[in-house]
Amino acid sequence: MGKNVIIACDFSSREETLSFLDKMGKARPYVKIGMELFYAAGPDMVRELKDRGHQVFLDLKLHDIPHTVQRAMAVLSRLGADILNLHAAGTRDMMEAALEGALRPDGSRPLLIAVTQLTSTSEERMQKELLIDATLPETVTAYAQNARLAGLDGVVCSPLEAGLIHSACGSDFLTVTPGVRFADGSLDDQVRVATPERAKTLGSDYIVVGRPITQSADPLSAWQRCVREFVD
Ligand code: C5P
């Protein structure tokens, strides 16, 4: 599986998204559609970006009873998304059901990856509010191992956790990592960040980059810089 840079298209409309992508010229970068854009623009956004030649990570983080997740995954998978995701907290039963749902009639399926603990959750909150009596790295590792046992392809995690995940789950278990910033750029609200080059050294398989590209005056050059540092 080759390394890739995924642009987080955190826009609130189809028009904004397409006008951003038009700035990329002939390039067809891998894109991520999150909740905001999906809820605003609907399933047609996925079909349209696929038709334009993009690969699509549909980041909707499903978490419900296994039957419901299975049926929802069947719908999302048929939109043509290349990566789908869910919360590992839904347990292995839910992840196995999701995997079954994601299988298309022609036998193909998107990659299915899990969110372990959100990076916005601190160890203190996790222990006090969620009553999880373990450290954050222990929890992240255990959830990733559950995802692996359920047959999933990888997890979303910080680039700083990519090594930990690969040693617990194997080098072929994908790490898809947000929290990427250029050495000379703004951090925005991200705290634990890595440059594309460092994410590569740490073993990330895919980096997810939003504002450093979407808010850049020259998004094509910013994306090309990410590709140069992370992939080439
Ligand atoms: O703009 P920025 O590069 O910070 O965007 C990162 C993207 O990755 C956003 O879409 C954000 O929601 C997502 N993400 C994240 N941290 C996580 C999971 C997802 O930043 N732990």
Side-chain angles (χ1 to χ4, degrees), residues 2-225:
K3 288 189 186 293
N4 220 326
V5 175
I6 303 178
I7 304 179
C9 288
D10 292 324
F11 299 111
S12 56
S13 71
R14 168 182 178 272
E15 291 67 32
E16 249 186 292
T17 307
L18 296 183
S19 91
F20 163 72
L21 290 172
D22 285 343
K23 295 182 197 157
M24 308 302 284
K26 289 202 174 72
R28 290 291 177 269
Y30 212 127
V31 294
K32 177 169 93 68
I33 298 178
M35 286 188 234
E36 180 188 9
L37 181 57
F38 188 78
Y39 293 149
D44 281 344
M45 191 77 247
V46 181
R47 295 190 191 99
E48 187 167 1
L49 294 182
K50 286 298 297 179
D51 287 346
R52 286 166 70 112
H54 296 273
Q55 286 182 283
V56 175
F57 169 17
L58 188 52
D59 177 21
L60 299 180
K61 302 186 179 69
L62 272 61
H63 188 178
D64 207 317
I65 60 170
H67 179 73
T68 302
V69 169
Q70 179 169 348
R71 305 211 23 126
M73 281 294 176
V75 174
L76 298 179
S77 173
R78 283 158 182 72
L79 297 177
D82 299 276
I83 305 181
L84 295 174
N85 66 354
L86 46 61
H87 274 280
T91 78
R92 272 166 60 189
D93 279 351
M94 191 198 81
M95 291 191 269
E96 285 165 8
L99 204 54
E100 255 179 71
L103 197 62
R104 302 184 182 110
D106 66 1
S108 69
R109 71 164 175 84
L111 294 171
L112 188 56
I113 62 174
V115 174
T116 58
Q117 281 292 340
L118 290 169
T119 48
S120 50
T121 307
S122 69
E123 184 168 275
E124 190 193 4
R125 295 273 173 196
M126 183 191 78
Q127 292 172 343
K128 284 198 178 138
E129 292 182 26
L130 307 182
L131 304 183
I132 295 175
D133 189 19
T135 67
L136 201 53
E138 282 165 351
T139 312
V140 166
T141 307
Y143 283 26
Q145 284 169 327
N146 285 340
R148 167 117 204 152
L149 287 169
L152 266 62
D153 302 292
V155 288
V156 183
C157 65
S158 156
L160 309 174
E161 292 163 356
L164 178 72
I165 301 287
H166 280 140
S167 47
C169 301
S171 58
D172 58 339
F173 194 64
L174 299 173
T175 52
V176 179
T177 66
V180 174
R181 289 295 180 266
F182 292 123
D184 52 0
S186 156
L187 292 189
D188 304 307
D189 54 356
Q190 297 281 10
V191 181
R192 299 173 66 233
V193 300
T195 63
E197 210 165 17
R198 175 112 176 95
K200 180 181 184 177
T201 311
L202 291 168
S204 295
D205 297 289
Y206 295 82
I207 49 173
V208 175
V209 188
R211 286 160 291 180
I213 298 175
T214 58
Q215 304 303 312
S216 163
D218 184 354
L220 178 60
S221 300
W223 172 70
Q224 286 168 333
R225 180 176 171 189

